[in-house]
Amino acid sequence: MNISKTMLGLAFVSSIAFAQTPKKPADSITKTNTSINKQSTEGFNKYIEPQFTAFSPTSTFLKDSVLFGLKDYHQPALIDSVWTKTLLNSELYAEMQEMVNTSPYLDTINKAVSTDTLKARLARLDAKTPFNVTYNESLESVIQYYLKRNKKGMESLMSLSHYYFPMFEEKLDKYNIPLEIKYLAIVESALNPRAKSRVGATGLWQFMFATGKMMSLDVSSYVDERMDPVMATEAACQYLSSLYDIFGDWDLALASYNSGPGNVSKAIRRSGGKKNYWELRDYLPRETAGYVPAFLATMYLFEYADEHGYQPYEPRVTYFETDTIKVKNLIKFDQITRVTNIDTELLEFLNPSYKLNIIPYIEDKDYYIRLPLVETGVFVANENLIYNYAEEANLATAEEDPLPKYYEANDRIRYRVKSGDYLGKIAEKYGVRVSKIKGWNNLRSNNLRIGQYLTIYPRKPVASAPVSSKKVKVSKSSISEKYYTVKKGDSLWSISKKFPGITVQNIQNWNDISSHKLKPGMKLKVSNG
């Protein structure tokens, strides 16, 4: 049978639940013009049917003279631009870290709330939480400081919490952990799943590489599972539970989450055996001494937001249902975007662990794509067509835009000493202390010889030899290019990851741009030459 220019309607019917989604009366649904608008895109022709009744736009593309239509029936997603902007805001992390690191120890001169009122409110919090929230001047100084700093930023965090907190609470309840621990992610990452500290702690819960590996969060050149919100939250719950089992106190569990159980144990010994956090505070590292107060101050601000006049943006949709699909072949985000009509930034937000906006396919490993529930139905109903398109698109661009090598990061490396090396230089390269390197290798002096091998457990992930896979093509990433031409589906973050050592802020500064919006064909400077 000749199927040339035959429309294949591939429909999938699904339901979706949106919290706080206003329902439209049945008699108010009107039928609109169903004429087809043709939109030409690179690689195929895409046709968009305007929305009619309760149906969504239908994405179709032309391949070998056969028009494939990817259809689905659902309510429109009510994710407005303000809410989307809040979800994708990556600047809050730096602002939150500055607040935590600059909180004063004692400064209650200019008060945003009276001491008597604060005492009464803290007493109410203390009565309903397992944390020690009793009043003291140190805690008051931090709360007063937070109340006077960056109100708009805190309102953005309160708005963003509507998306993450339901998932956090579900996981915390599963492990019988106080639900107030959800505020810890505010202090750690400002709810940015791609947040990375100066020492390499990464993700919503700021796992160091070694701790992440201990909690089964893997890192490769394509994927960093510390940035996966669900996997990282599960790991954080397991780790916090183990810390509570050690100390039997949630304040000390939080302190050890920040500085390690060893530092908390040392503080207990130095204090003469005391186990109250506020009595141990002076014996803890300075960063940890401000960590628990920052957590308690954040809890106070969220619990008494109304009393202090915080007015966070209230999204019409606070939670939307998503589902995951196990990928069967390598596929890029821009390819998924083209066939599902999902906005690229939203796709990145739902799948932050894929560092290059590419989902690899590696034998004996499972990788998943997270999509809004309805688009999940579209993808599953048409996945053979989608994978065929992705494979042909990857082959067509193999020479011009080859895929990066797939590397797995190791928690231990063998380093060969080169001319000009010395222990301090090697220690700085891998983020460890000289004493650690000497201990790992039984060195009695700082003397090294060229060709000598050292065992190192780096704080920062280090790539191992490439993993062979016929699904991932090998290429060399060039870091010598001075300019990069923006392609469809690129973002500043994905571009920065193509050039080691370059950040989003670098690209913005070198190109005098403040927005994150890019257009295909733009040339961006990617070096400081």
Side-chain angles (χ1 to χ4, degrees):
M1 180 179 71
N2 185 358
I3 61 173
S4 179
K5 299 197 184 292
T6 301
M7 172 71 81
L8 303 182
L10 306 175
F12 183 86
V13 181
S14 176
S15 62
I16 184 167
F18 290 97
Q20 298 186 10
T21 302
K23 295 182 179 179
K24 195 172 185 179
D27 58 3
S28 69
I29 298 176
T30 59
K31 199 167 187 177
T32 63
N33 188 341
T34 60
S35 63
I36 295 178
N37 297 324
K38 182 175 179 180
Q39 177 185 344
S40 178
T41 59
E42 184 179 351
F44 60 88
N45 292 325
K46 182 163 68 173
Y47 295 83
I48 304 296
E49 294 178 5
Q51 178 177 316
F52 60 99
T53 65
F55 303 145
S56 70
T58 301
S59 176
T60 68
F61 60 90
L62 190 65
K63 176 178 175 296
D64 296 334
S65 299
V66 180
L67 191 63
F68 295 91
L70 309 184
K71 291 187 176 182
D72 197 41
Y73 301 81
H74 63 88
Q75 295 178 345
L78 297 179
I79 305 174
D80 55 79
S81 60
V82 178
W83 175 229
T84 303
K85 184 178 180 180
T86 300
L87 290 177
L88 304 175
N89 185 358
S90 61
E91 298 176 358
L92 297 172
Y93 172 66
E95 295 171 1
M96 189 67 199
Q97 289 304 297
E98 182 184 358
M99 288 176 65
V100 173
N101 294 330
T102 59
S103 297
Y105 270 71
L106 288 172
D107 178 15
T108 57
I109 298 175
N110 300 312
K111 299 182 179 181
V113 58
S114 71
T115 299
D116 289 341
T117 299
L118 184 60
K119 285 181 177 180
R121 290 174 179 174
L122 291 178
R124 288 195 290 271
L125 277 180
D126 189 55
K128 66 178 185 178
T129 177
F131 298 96
N132 186 355
V133 202
T134 52
Y135 172 84
N136 61 68
E137 289 187 352
S138 295
L139 179 56
E140 179 181 8
S141 68
V142 177
I143 292 174
Q144 300 283 7
Y145 176 73
Y146 273 34
L147 287 170
K148 292 179 287 187
R149 282 291 303 269
N150 195 7
K151 184 175 183 180
K152 184 177 179 181
M154 189 57 68
E155 288 176 338
S156 294
L157 287 170
M158 291 175 180
S159 182
L160 187 56
S161 70
H162 288 296
Y163 178 79
Y164 284 108
F165 278 8
M167 185 267 288
F168 290 171
E169 291 171 348
E170 179 185 353
K171 296 295 183 183
L172 293 168
D173 181 65
K174 172 183 174 182
Y175 288 91
N176 198 29
I177 295 174
L179 299 187
E180 293 90 344
I181 288 286
K182 64 190 177 186
Y183 299 121
L184 183 62
I186 302 270
V187 177
E188 287 285 354
S189 66
L191 300 180
N192 180 356
R194 285 178 166 172
K196 182 169 286 191
S197 75
R198 57 181 177 80
V199 295
T202 300
L204 286 170
W205 299 95
Q206 291 289 280
F207 279 105
M208 291 298 293
F209 176 72
T211 311
K213 290 285 285 186
M214 181 179 73
M215 303 308 298
S216 301
L217 298 174
D218 292 331
V219 179
S220 73
S221 53
Y222 278 75
V223 184
D224 189 337
E225 291 179 347
R226 295 174 298 171
M227 296 191 226
D228 183 291
V230 177
M231 296 179 71
T233 301
E234 188 89 23
C237 289
Q238 294 172 0
Y239 188 44
L240 284 162
S241 291
S242 68
L243 294 174
Y244 180 76
D245 289 342
I246 294 172
F247 296 102
D249 180 275
W250 282 112
D251 291 329
L252 298 186
L254 285 182
S256 59
Y257 188 90
N258 176 254
S259 67
N263 280 325
V264 176
S265 295
K266 290 176 187 175
I268 292 174
R269 294 190 187 97
R270 290 168 182 163
S271 70
K274 297 177 181 178
K275 294 185 178 181
N276 180 293
Y277 167 79
W278 294 103
E279 294 176 324
L280 293 177
R281 190 181 184 211
D282 291 339
Y283 300 95
L284 292 167
R286 180 174 176 85
E287 181 182 348
T288 307
Y291 184 75
V292 173
F295 166 77
L296 296 176
T298 301
M299 183 197 302
Y300 172 84
L301 261 64
F302 271 70
E303 295 291 332
Y304 289 99
D306 290 341
E307 286 81 351
H308 287 287
Y310 286 94
Q311 296 179 327
Y313 171 73
E314 294 291 343
R316 287 179 290 167
V317 181
T318 58
Y319 176 78
F320 56 94
E321 223 173 322
T322 63
D323 204 352
T324 55
I325 306 167
K326 180 180 175 181
V327 297
K328 299 179 180 178
N329 286 295
L330 182 145
I331 191 167
K332 299 179 179 179
F333 280 17
D334 66 319
Q335 293 162 353
I336 297 172
T337 296
R338 291 177 183 177
V339 297
T340 61
N341 284 331
I342 298 174
D343 180 78
T344 302
E345 286 190 313
L346 179 58
L347 194 59
E348 291 178 1
F349 174 76
L350 292 175
N351 300 274
S353 60
Y354 297 110
K355 302 190 288 185
L356 303 177
N357 284 5
I358 300 173
I359 307 173
Y361 178 85
I362 305 297
E363 293 181 6
D364 302 323
K365 288 184 177 290
D366 294 335
Y367 293 114
Y368 297 83
I369 181 71
R370 181 174 294 278
L371 301 172
L373 187 60
V374 174
E375 279 71 18
T376 301
V378 175
F379 193 100
V380 170
N382 305 281
E383 62 180 356
N384 288 335
L385 291 172
I386 293 171
Y387 284 130
N388 288 340
Y389 161 68
E391 185 173 0
E392 292 184 10
N394 291 337
L395 288 173
T397 60
E399 293 186 6
E400 177 186 346
D401 186 22
L403 295 168
K405 292 178 182 179
Y406 177 91
Y407 290 94
E408 289 186 348
N410 289 329
D411 56 354
R412 183 182 70 175
I413 64 166
R414 292 275 288 166
Y415 180 82
R416 189 172 185 269
V417 177
K418 302 186 292 292
S419 177
D421 277 343
Y422 54 91
L423 284 177
K425 179 180 178 181
I426 298 170
E428 183 179 1
K429 179 178 180 180
Y430 294 108
V432 298
R433 295 179 180 177
V434 169
S435 59
K436 289 289 187 181
I437 297 179
K438 293 175 71 173
W440 295 327
N441 295 275
N442 296 317
L443 300 178
R444 296 184 178 181
S445 73
N446 292 341
N447 297 328
L448 299 175
R449 66 179 186 276
I450 297 174
Q452 178 181 356
Y453 281 94
L454 299 175
T455 296
I456 299 175
Y457 295 85
R459 294 184 71 182
K460 304 173 183 178
V462 178
S464 67
V467 177
S468 61
S469 172
K470 61 183 180 180
K471 298 295 182 181
V472 178
K473 299 177 178 62
V474 176
S475 71
K476 291 184 179 180
S477 298
S478 172
I479 61 174
S480 61
E481 297 180 52
K482 290 187 177 182
Y483 288 89
Y484 176 82
T485 302
V486 176
K487 301 178 179 63
K488 185 176 177 60
D490 276 342
S491 66
L492 288 177
W493 188 88
S494 66
I495 294 172
S496 71
K497 294 307 170 187
K498 296 177 186 289
F499 302 93
I502 292 177
T503 66
V504 169
Q505 289 73 25
N506 289 150
I507 298 175
Q508 288 178 317
N509 292 338
W510 295 337
N511 294 275
D512 194 24
I513 56 176
S514 57
S515 171
H516 284 258
K517 292 185 178 180
L518 301 176
K519 293 182 180 179
M522 286 177 63
K523 287 189 178 296
L524 296 176
K525 188 176 181 181
V526 290
S527 69
N528 200 21

